[in-house]
Amino acid sequence: MMAMYIAGKILDGKQDYEYVFSITLYQRYQDDVDAILIGEGRQDLIKR
């Protein structure tokens, strides 16, 4: 659920991928968010 929320914010351009995952609390959701972004065809937003 949290991964979907974060992915939605990134997709809407309201959050920056690198900024979100620089926060330790959110790093546990990174793999799930990556999968959602790839599923949406937006792997261009993934910056590692």
Side-chain angles (χ1 to χ4, degrees):
M1 182 128 159
M2 186 63 160
M4 290 177 66
Y5 175 78
I6 294 169
K9 291 289 192 177
I10 293 170
L11 286 167
D12 291 342
K14 295 180 180 175
Q15 288 291 333
D16 178 68
Y17 182 94
E18 290 178 293
Y19 173 74
V20 170
F21 294 114
S22 70
I23 302 169
T24 306
L25 178 66
Y26 297 129
Q27 289 174 357
R28 69 179 115 181
Y29 303 110
Q30 191 167 11
D31 290 337
D32 292 334
V33 170
D34 288 356
I36 293 167
L37 294 176
I38 290 168
E40 293 291 324
R42 293 303 311 266
Q43 54 268 33
D44 59 302
L45 296 174
I46 299 171
K47 299 174 182 121
R48 286 198 182 215

